[in-house]
Amino acid sequence: DAMVIQNPRYQVTQFGKPVTLSCSQTLNHNVMYWYQQKSSQAPKLLFHYYDKDFNNEADTPDNFQSRRPNTSFCFLDIRSPGLGDAAMYLCATSSQGTASTDTQYFGPGTRLTVL
Amino acid sequence: AQRVTQPEKLLSVFKGAPVELKCNYSYSGSPELFWYVQYSRQRLQLLLRHISRESIKGFTADLNKGETSFHLKKPFAQEEDSAMYYCALSGGYNKLIFGAGTRLAVHP
């Protein structure tokens, strides 16, 4: 009964070759987030969707894009992966995005390797 | 700037010993703070939030605005507490700003 599912769990891509990571949820939550976590570092928010409204973090590179075609699915597209984009990518959801009452539910992550 | 600092990468204790995982934050306004935990081979999950003022699995955390700290404490560590612990600050819309994490190792 996984609630936030990420596919694939491991992704290998070549330098410069576009790659898409997938996240789905069975919680019917309004908010979906993508975090990047490099080795031994804190998870860092890339962007989030509140329903269909896309919110990009100011320091997220243009190389990273996202799509949310419906409530359940959210995709992370990396247009031209560089070696520095190798990381664990975490998807998370929350019901309303209100910190005091909400809980963020995380997926297991997708580990991206760039060759 | 909003920032969370966890000064210890690794905290190693023996079973039954007290545990304190340190967290300091920088935030202009009223902070909302959390502790998240990641057990081996499991996903990141919420342990506790400061607003609830609750004890989860024997852990407590008190927000000290004067010292801008939110340290996580447990009086008697158990082996099953071994995990990666992340302190996090909410930056609105529940956007979490995480610290780099502290690995807690509890030895028998």
Side-chain angles (χ1 to χ4, degrees), chain B:
Chain B
Q2 300 170 355
R3 188 171 56 246
V4 176
T5 303
Q6 293 180 250
E8 303 144 326
K9 284 194 171 182
L10 172 65
L11 184 62
S12 188
V13 301
F14 286 103
K15 177 182 173 180
V19 167
E20 182 178 65
L21 291 88
K22 291 184 166 46
C23 172
N24 289 91
Y25 67 89
S26 172
Y27 185 75
S28 55
S30 270
E32 302 207 27
L33 286 148
F34 309 81
W35 278 97
Y36 276 76
V37 61
Q38 187 167 26
Y39 300 103
S40 180
R41 295 189 177 85
Q42 294 187 29
R43 59 191 68 195
L44 199 56
Q45 57 186 291
L46 177 67
L47 179 63
L48 56 79
R49 68 186 88 211
H50 91 269
I51 199 167
S52 301
R53 302 184 65 80
E54 57 195 345
S55 173
I56 304 292
K57 299 184 178 183
F59 284 98
T60 59
D62 290 320
L63 177 61
N64 185 323
K65 291 186 179 181
E67 295 183 358
T68 60
S69 69
F70 187 57
H71 303 327
L72 183 67
K73 300 177 184 179
K74 184 169 183 176
F76 308 103
Q78 303 299 315
E79 289 180 66
E80 55 265 30
D81 296 327
S82 295
M84 194 74 180
Y85 291 81
Y86 293 93
C87 183
L89 170 69
S90 172
Y93 273 114
N94 207 6
K95 296 191 300 181
L96 295 174
I97 300 161
F98 285 93
T102 298
R103 180 166 299 283
L104 174 64
V106 182
H107 304 284

Side-chain angles (χ1 to χ4, degrees), chain A residues 3-93:
Chain A
M3 296 179 288
V4 183
I5 302 158
Q6 290 188 246
N7 286 307
R9 295 290 308 276
Y10 300 90
Q11 176 73 57
V12 180
T13 191
Q14 291 180 336
F15 183 94
K17 184 175 181 180
V19 65
T20 294
L21 308 183
S22 169
C23 177
S24 63
Q25 53 133 339
T26 60
L27 297 162
N28 204 34
H29 281 173
N30 282 324
V31 194
M32 294 187 78
Y33 311 80
W34 279 104
Y35 292 86
Q36 179 193 60
Q37 186 177 23
K38 295 186 178 180
S39 181
S40 301
Q41 295 185 23
K44 181 177 177 298
L45 183 67
L46 295 173
F47 26 59
H48 77 277
Y49 273 94
Y50 188 98
D51 197 8
K52 294 180 181 178
D53 293 332
F54 177 70
N55 297 271
N56 201 27
E57 293 302 296
D59 56 355
T60 298
D62 292 340
N63 198 25
F64 291 85
Q65 304 287 321
S66 186
R67 295 170 284 134
R68 189 177 185 187
N70 53 53
T71 301
S72 301
F73 285 87
C74 194
F75 300 99
L76 169 62
D77 300 309
I78 309 177
R79 291 192 297 190
S80 182
L83 298 179
D85 297 328
M88 178 72 85
Y89 289 88
L90 299 171
C91 175
T93 74

